[in-house]
Amino acid sequence: MQQRPGTPNDRAHQPLSTRIDRWQRRAAPYLFISPFFILFAIFGLFPILFSAYLSLQVWNPVQGLGTMRFVGLENYVFLLDDPWFWRSMSNTIWIAIASGLPQHLVAIPLAFALVMGVRSLRHPLTAIYFMPYITSAVAVALVFSTIFGTQFGVLNQVMAYLAQASWSAWLFGGLADTLPINWLGRAAYIKPAISILVFWQFFGFNVVLYTAGLATIPRTYYEAAQIDGASTRQSFWHITLPLLRPMIFFAVTFTIIGNLQLFDQPFILTGGTGGTAQSGMTAAMYLYRTGFEWLEMGTAAAISWLLFLVIGTLTVIHFYFFGRSGLETRE
Amino acid sequence: MKKFLVLALALTVGLAFSQTRLTIGVFEPLHEHIQLVLPQFYEMYPDVEVEIRTLGYEDHHNVLVTNLATGSGAADVVAVEIGYIARFVAEGGLRDLSAEPFNADQYEDLFVEYAWAQAQTPDGRQVAIPTDIAPGVMYYRRDHLEATGWTIDQVTESLESYLQFGRELQEQGVFLTVNAGSVADGLIRSEIPEGDGIFFAADGTPLLNSPRFVQAATVAQQIRQEGLDADIGAWSNEWFEAFRQGTTATELSGAWLGGHLQTWMAPETSGLWGTSEMPGNILVSWGGSFYGIPTQTPADKVDAAWNLVQFLTTNPEVQLEAFRSINAFPAMPETYDDPMFEEEIEFLGGQQARILFADIAERIPGVLTHPGDIIANEIWQSAIGEILAEGRDVQSALDEAQMLVQRRIR
C-alpha cells in the first residue's frame, strides 16, 4: 500500500519547521475568521441559548443566579392565558400593518416618480425622505409626543384651523366636534398615533430601496414601451412593478421583522406605560416591562420566544407566497 | 475666613493622601439637596470625594434594579423611593445595615416608626435608612381660589365640596385638577385599615376591587364625566405646561410636589400657590425615600458609604436643609420643633406651610409595603386609566385588575 504524503507516519520524519509551516497553513484560515465566531458565540449564540433556558425557569435577577428555579413550560402556559400578552400581540400586529402597508404603497409610486420625473431633484429629495430614518427614534418620538399634545399640540391646532377656516370648512368642518383629539390619552387614537410616527420614520428608507431597485431596470424597456404607445401608468403596472418584485420582497421582509419588534416609539409616546388600556403596548414593550420592571426574567424570555415564533411564522408565510415568485423573476 | 482656611487646608491635606471616591445615585430633586450639604460632609470627612449621579424618578429605579441584577454599575450609596423599597426588602441587593460594622438599629428611635419598619425585613434586617416621608396635601392656586370667592377650608371640607368647587371653577374656564387620576390615587391611600397595605392586605391578598378602590374610582370617574379635570397624563409635557400656565386650580400630591414645582416644573409661578389639607381632610402617606448601600459596593468603600448614609439620614441639620431646599419632609420627628418650620415660604405666597406638613405627618398612620406594590400600582394605573378615559364600568375594571394582580403574584 502506497503511503500518501501528509499522513502522520510520513510527517514524523519531516523537520520541525516544515511541520509548523504546514500546521500554520491549515490553521491560519480558521484563526483569521475566529474573531467573528468567538464574538458571535459570546454575544449572539450564548444569549440566544441562555434565553431559551431562562424561559423554562422562574428567576428574579436581583436575588442572584442561585435563585433560578426550573418550572418547565409554566411561563408559556401563563402567557397563553395572559390577557395583557394577547393584547400586546394584537397591538403589535395592528401597528405593523397600519404603519407597514402604507409605507410601501407610498414609497413605490414615489420612487417611480423620483426616477422617472425631474432627475435633478431625485438625490436631494431621496436624502430628505431618508432623514427621519437616520434620526434617533427616541428624539423623533419626543418631538411627536409634543406634536400629538391635546391642548398645545400642533396637530390639533392645525386640524382646528382647518375645521374653522372658510376655505377648508366644507371638508374638515365635521371634525370640529371631536377636537381636540387626545391622541395619546384615548385608547382608540394611540395605535393610529404610533402608526403615523412609524410610517413617517420608515417610508423614506423604503423610498431609497425602491429607487435603487428601479435604477437596475434597463431604460430600454421603457423606451420600447413608449414606442409601442404605452402610457406612463401602463409602464408602471407592466414593467416597473413586475421587475421590482425582488426588491419589494426584500423591503417587505424588512418591514415585517422591524415592525413586529417595535419598541422605542411606542415606549416614548406612551411614557413607558403602554397607554390607556395598554392599547399602545407592543410585545417588545411587554417583554421589557416583564423582565426589567417586574423582574420576571423567565416570563420575559418566554415572551421573546413566542414573539420570535410569530415573526418566524409570518416571514415564512411571506416567503412562501411572494419570495419564490419574487426571486424567480430575477432569473 | 478662618473656617474657609481650615476647609481649604483640610481639602489640600485630604487630596494629598489617598482619596476615597464615592458615588451616590439619586433621583430628582434629591441631587440639589446633596449638592448643598456636601461641603458640610467634606468638612467632616476630607478624604472622601463624592460624585452625584442623578436620573429621573423612574429611570433611576429601573437602572438601579438592572445594576443590582447584573451585580455591577450601581452607585456606592443609592436612594430608594418608598414604592420600590419593599422590593429590595423582599429580594435583597442592599446590604444588611443591622449587622456589623453598621449597627443601624441604634438609630431606630430617631425616625417615624412606620418609615423605619418599611425598610426592615421580616427577620429584622434593616436594608435602608429613611430620609424623608411625604404627607399627602393639596396644592392650590390662590388666584383661582380668590376668583371663586371660596375659602380653602370650604373647599377641603368634604369630597362633595371639593367637587362643587370644581363646578364653580368650570364656569370660569378653569379645571379643578389636571387629572382625576390623582384624586383617585389620593383616595386609595387614605383610611387604610391598620396592618394593611395600599394594595395588599396583611395576609397578602390583593385589595384592588375592595370598597376603598371602588369609591376612589367612582369619584374620579364623576370628576372626569362632569369635565372638571383637564384630562392630561401626569408627568407629561402637557402636565408641566398646565402648571406653568395655571389652567388648573388644585393638585393632590405628596408635600414634595412643591419642591418639583419650585425647582423645575413651574418656577415662574412663585407666589401663586398655596397648600392645604386634602379634601375631606383625609390623611395620606404619599411617598418617602431611603438611602441604602448595595451589596456590590466594594469593601474598601463601605465605611465611607456608611458615613455618607449616616450624614444624610441621622443628622438633623442635613434633614432640615433637605426640607428647606426641596420640600423633602424629614423622617426625624425631633426636627419638627425647629424654628424653620415657622418660616414663611415665598413660593407658596408666604404661607407657613411646614407647620401644616408636620401636623399632617404626625397624624398619618403607617402603611404596610408589599413586594408586589410596583406591579399592583401599574395594574391599578391601567385600570383607572380605562375607567377615566374609556368610561369603563368601575366594578368590572377593578375585578379585572384584581384578577391580573392575583395572577402576577403567583
Side-chain angles (χ1 to χ4, degrees), chain A residues 159-176 178-179:
Chain A
M159 284 167 73
Y161 170 76
L162 289 178
Q164 279 165 11
S166 51
W167 60 272
S168 57
W170 61 274
L171 186 58
F172 295 98
L175 282 172
T178 51
L179 291 173

Side-chain angles (χ1 to χ4, degrees), chain B residues 65-83:
Chain B
V65 164
T66 313
N67 286 338
L68 295 182
T70 52
S72 73
D76 302 319
V77 174
V78 293
V80 180
E81 212 267 349
I82 196 162

Side-chain angles (χ1 to χ4, degrees), chain A residues 258-278:
Chain A
N259 278 13
L260 290 175
Q261 293 181 343
L262 216 55
F263 177 81
D264 315 31
Q265 297 87 348
F267 189 84
I268 303 288
L269 282 186
T270 64
T273 65
T276 306
Q278 282 73 51

Side-chain angles (χ1 to χ4, degrees), chain B residues 93-293:
Chain B
L94 298 178
R95 281 180 191 256
D96 170 15
L97 301 177
S98 298
E100 296 283 347
F102 313 110
N103 299 315
D105 293 343
Q106 58 180 310
Y107 296 125
E108 182 171 352
D109 294 337
L110 288 180
F111 297 99
V112 173
E113 200 183 316
Y114 75 88
W116 184 261
Q118 276 163 341
Q120 201 171 43
T121 62
D123 56 352
R125 286 176 293 122
Q126 194 71 25
V127 300
I129 312 291
T131 175
D132 60 69
I133 56 176
V137 296
M138 181 170 87
Y139 281 92
Y140 64 92
R141 288 279 294 231
R142 292 175 184 278
D143 44 347
H144 294 320
L145 182 74
E146 258 166 50
T148 57
W150 282 46
T151 67
I152 194 63
D153 289 338
Q154 285 173 317
V155 176
T156 58
E157 194 183 316
S158 67
L159 270 177
E160 191 37 55
S161 67
Y162 179 63
L163 294 193
Q164 190 55 41
F165 176 59
R167 291 180 197 114
E168 299 215 359
L169 287 166
Q170 193 175 33
E171 283 169 22
Q172 311 193 0
V174 176
F175 293 110
L176 176 63
T177 182
V178 191
N179 195 313
S182 66
V183 178
D185 275 333
L187 291 174
I188 60 162
R189 284 169 171 79
S190 72
E191 282 161 37
I192 298 169
E194 175 93 37
D196 277 1
I198 298 171
F199 300 103
F200 296 91
D203 62 357
T205 328
L207 299 168
L208 273 87
N209 56 359
S210 67
R212 177 159 48 95
F213 281 83
V214 173
Q215 192 230 357
T218 311
V219 170
Q221 194 175 41
Q222 194 186 345
I223 293 178
R224 173 64 52 86
Q225 280 169 355
E226 289 189 33
L228 301 181
D229 76 332
D231 189 8
I232 292 170
W235 304 103
S236 64
N237 285 332
E238 297 227 318
W239 198 62
F240 307 144
E241 199 57 37
F243 287 130
R244 271 177 223 132
Q245 305 204 348
T247 49
T248 63
T250 70
E251 183 67 20
L252 307 188
S253 170
W256 42 260
L257 182 68
H260 289 281
L261 287 171
Q262 189 178 344
T263 51
W264 62 276
M265 270 162 49
E268 60 272 38
T269 58
S270 176
L272 294 172
W273 292 89
T275 183
S276 73
E277 296 218 14
M278 304 248 286
N281 298 322
I282 55 175
L283 293 170
V284 172
S285 162
W286 205 321
S289 10
F290 301 80
Y291 285 110
I293 303 174

Side-chain angles (χ1 to χ4, degrees), chain A residues 60-63 74 78 81-82 84 87 149-152 186-187 277-278 286 289 293-296 299, chain B residues 62 65 69 87 91-92 230-231 237-238 241 245 375 378-379 382 385-386 389-390 400 404 407-408 410:
Chain A
N60 178 331
V62 175
Q63 290 172 322
E74 197 190 294
F78 173 84
D81 192 32
D82 182 29
W84 280 20
R87 213 176 287 176
T150 315
Q151 307 291 337
F152 313 108
R186 289 278 175 284
Q278 282 73 51
Y286 188 46
R289 290 176 84 189
E293 288 183 15
W294 304 343
L295 300 178
E296 295 171 10
T299 316
Chain B
N62 287 339
V65 164
R87 166 174 287 175
E91 295 164 352
D231 189 8
N237 285 332
E238 297 227 318
E241 199 57 37
Q245 305 204 348
I375 294 181
E378 283 194 32
I379 290 171
S382 154
E386 252 182 286
E390 306 298 311
E400 189 191 301
L404 283 169
R407 282 170 52 81
R408 278 288 167 191
R410 63 199 160 124

